[in-house]
Amino acid sequence: MGQLADRLDAISVRVRVPGTEIMAELRHRTDVTISFGESVYEFLDERGLERFLVSLARMLYAAWLREYRAAIADSALDVEPHDQRDHDFFDARSKIEASGSSAGGRIAFSAKGMQDMSAKIAPGTLRELTETQFTARAKEAVTALIQDHLAKVRELKTRFYG
């Protein structure tokens, strides 16, 4: 099982919002980096960037999930539900509501089952933060979201499987 855990921890995926130079990379399960092409950040507004961040989040999660499933398949580990308890666990996991925000709360993410995602950026944030400051705050918020989700998955595992 140690090799599988190492492989899962080593998953690294990179995505780009189609038609833009807005990218994100996920490494080591919780390490997310958001980046912008040259001169992109200065022309964005909060509502548009929220939509781009949601797209990035969805694409990152889908890419990570593909790699995760490939690692599980290669390991021959049986992760299919076998009884009602397993089905109930997977159902409950798909309904987990997780959230995370940056220090100061300017940037926040939320997700239900890591599928239905949203991003909120406080008005004025893009004028007040440099690109470097924004990406650092966004990293804080998305890391908090992932950690909240993982903590709630652990709670469910304890509740369902002791």
Side-chain angles (χ1 to χ4, degrees):
M1 192 69 150
Q3 289 179 342
L4 177 59
D6 290 344
R7 183 171 173 190
L8 295 176
D9 285 339
I11 291 174
S12 178
V13 294
R14 185 171 175 85
V15 298
R16 179 177 59 85
V17 175
T20 75
E21 289 300 316
I22 303 173
M23 296 141 294
E25 184 173 8
L26 170 62
R27 297 177 305 272
H28 310 294
R29 298 186 198 222
T30 62
D31 184 12
V32 175
T33 304
I34 298 168
S35 59
F36 302 93
E38 190 172 328
S39 299
V40 171
Y41 181 78
E42 62 197 48
F43 293 105
L44 294 169
D45 62 53
E46 283 83 5
R47 300 301 73 86
L49 184 51
E50 287 172 351
R51 289 188 300 277
F52 289 139
L53 291 175
V54 167
S55 292
L56 280 176
R58 288 178 179 147
M59 289 185 298
L60 266 183
Y61 183 69
W64 181 87
L65 197 54
R66 276 191 301 276
E67 294 295 321
Y68 171 85
R69 288 178 177 158
I72 296 296
D74 289 348
S75 75
L77 184 65
D78 182 10
V79 295
E80 294 300 314
H82 293 285
D83 58 23
Q84 189 58 47
R85 179 177 61 172
D86 292 345
H87 287 286
D88 291 345
F89 169 78
F90 287 122
D91 182 56
R93 187 181 68 181
S94 73
K95 294 176 182 169
I96 289 175
E97 293 187 17
S99 62
S101 62
S102 63
R106 289 189 156 280
I107 304 165
F109 293 97
S110 62
K112 181 176 178 185
M114 294 306 275
Q115 299 293 318
D116 183 18
M117 302 197 187
S118 67
K120 297 288 181 215
I121 303 170
T125 296
L126 300 184
R127 285 189 310 277
E128 295 171 21
L129 298 181
T130 65
E131 180 179 330
T132 302
Q133 291 169 326
F134 179 86
T135 57
R137 298 297 81 76
K139 181 182 183 97
E140 291 171 358
V142 75
T143 298
L145 167 73
I146 294 167
Q147 289 173 339
D148 186 38
H149 176 78
L150 292 174
K152 289 176 178 176
V153 169
R154 283 190 298 275
E155 289 172 13
L156 279 180
K157 285 180 180 178
T158 300
R159 193 173 89 209
F160 281 90
Y161 302 108

